[in-house]
Amino acid sequence: VARVALRALLHAAGRDRGELGPHTDVEALAKFLTAHDMGLSSYGIVRACFSAAPVAHGLCEDMLMSTRMQRQRLGFFTRLLDQAPAVERYRLATAQIVHAERLGFDAVWVAQHHFHEPEGGLPAPFVFLAQVAARTSRIRLGTAIITLPLELPIRVAEDASVLDLLSGGRLEVGVAPGGNLSSYTAFGLDSKDRHTLMAHHLDVLRDAWTGCPLPGGDCLYPLNPTLAAAFGRRPSRSKVRSVLAAPAMG
């Protein structure tokens, strides 16, 4: 049923109008999504909403999604949860992404998880995405997310900048405080400080990518203002305080 509904949605969106990429095989895409448990309520199908088609437009409205953009991208998210040794998890995820690119997917997002194998299998997403970049040529590569308070922000800036260049500008960096609070203890940090660390490290990321002098006077190499621009303008201090004080969801 999900495959039939998805096929109808994709056709309704209108490949001939240009909302789907020229490489997208609608039938194969429907089979791929349903085979990987990406049902109609999943991220994969949510990204299949296109504004030009009435059917897709209605689905987007039902999901409280904006339909202003002329073309939405189609992507998927993975935590690398295959019940297999780490090396096999990485091989399978790489093969999945390569196959997804052939089917016309626009983006893939991978999660970072430390220590807890059942929750996620990838502590080093930049390393993983570097080898994926070598096996692909078009699909965009995203992190969802890097647990930024646990990282040295200058190293994140360096790794991301180099990976973005190696991949031909395909990297999309997502960062957040993360939900595994016990990881903070292992890293010698207090989880109560995670929001303060997040705000500070995010400032350092933006400064580094745009060439602002870092403590001591050095500047990042290579620069990557494009990655910094993706985070938008730096919010005011009062805005940052109000966001950090907001109660957590979930």
Side-chain angles (χ1 to χ4, degrees):
V1 174
R3 186 187 304 171
V4 172
L6 173 61
R7 189 186 306 115
L9 173 61
L10 293 177
H11 278 296
R15 178 191 288 170
D16 58 337
R17 296 192 182 105
E19 284 83 7
L20 290 180
H23 305 292
T24 304
D25 182 332
V26 172
E27 189 69 25
L29 183 57
K31 292 179 181 178
F32 178 84
L33 288 172
T34 52
H36 289 81
D37 294 325
M38 297 181 180
L40 287 175
S41 62
S42 76
Y43 178 82
I45 307 306
V46 168
R47 302 295 275 181
C49 291
F50 299 95
S51 62
V55 173
H57 183 89
L59 180 59
C60 288
E61 286 185 336
D62 290 343
M63 294 181 176
L64 301 179
M65 292 181 62
S66 170
T67 59
R68 295 176 183 175
M69 296 181 64
Q70 289 300 307
R71 181 185 184 277
Q72 299 270 343
R73 294 183 304 158
L74 180 66
F76 72 99
F77 165 81
T78 178
R79 289 192 288 161
L80 285 72
L81 292 177
D82 296 279
Q83 298 300 309
V87 64
E88 183 66 4
R89 284 189 179 195
Y90 303 150
R91 186 193 69 78
L92 290 171
T94 300
Q96 182 185 37
I97 296 168
V98 170
H99 189 50
E101 181 178 75
R102 295 194 189 109
L103 293 177
F105 277 79
D106 295 300
V108 60
W109 296 78
V110 298
Q112 179 186 50
H113 282 87
H114 294 289
F115 312 125
H116 296 173
E117 178 183 345
E119 295 181 8
L122 187 61
F126 288 140
V127 176
F128 173 75
L129 290 177
Q131 84 101 22
V132 171
R135 297 278 307 278
T136 57
S137 61
R138 181 188 55 79
I139 194 168
R140 296 192 64 79
L141 311 171
T143 62
I145 47 77
I146 297 292
T147 311
L148 190 58
L150 300 181
E151 305 286 344
L152 293 173
I154 296 175
R155 290 292 297 122
V156 172
E158 290 176 331
D159 288 348
S161 186
V162 171
L163 175 54
D164 189 55
L165 292 174
L166 290 175
S167 67
R170 290 185 284 145
L171 181 64
E172 299 190 5
V173 181
V175 297
N180 182 5
L181 301 187
S182 64
S183 296
Y184 282 80
T185 303
F187 278 83
L189 299 170
D190 190 333
S191 62
K192 295 179 181 178
D193 299 329
R194 64 189 182 280
H195 297 305
T196 301
L197 289 168
M198 178 72 191
H200 174 264
H201 288 187
L202 192 54
D203 282 348
V204 173
L205 269 185
R206 288 194 183 100
D207 288 346
W209 280 330
T210 54
C212 295
L214 300 170
D218 288 325
C219 294
L220 189 78
Y221 178 83
L223 300 180
N224 200 316
T226 301
L227 290 178
F231 283 92
R233 292 187 302 170
R234 183 176 300 180
S236 65
R237 293 291 180 181
S238 60
K239 180 67 172 179
V240 170
R241 283 195 295 270
S242 65
V243 172
L244 296 183
M249 297 180 63

